[in-house]
């Protein structure tokens, strides 16, 4: 999650949240692609 989030942000994607551990125990981040689609990276 950390590496992919960093890669996407470096490529110009907007980070919306995270990386963080959610209340239900998942480790995730959310980025926005150029077409405004939310991409959730989750472990």
């Amino acid at each position: 999650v950390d590496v992919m989030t960093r890669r996407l942000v470096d490529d110009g994607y907007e980070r919306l949240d995270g990386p963080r551990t959610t209340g239900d125990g998942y480790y995730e981040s959310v980025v926005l692609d150029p077409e405004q689609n939310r991409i959730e990276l989750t472990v």
Side-chain angles (χ1 to χ4, degrees):
V1 172
D2 293 334
V3 171
M4 184 57 81
T5 300
R6 189 170 29 255
R7 178 183 278 170
L8 289 169
V9 169
D10 289 347
D11 286 345
Y13 289 66
E14 179 183 350
R15 180 188 354 237
L16 297 179
D17 193 19
R20 67 185 181 95
T21 302
T22 64
D24 52 358
Y26 291 99
Y27 189 67
E28 72 173 19
S29 69
V30 181
V31 296
L32 195 62
D33 78 3
E35 296 177 354
Q36 306 302 299
N37 296 300
R38 292 171 54 101
I39 300 171
E40 295 183 10
L41 306 169
T42 307
V43 181

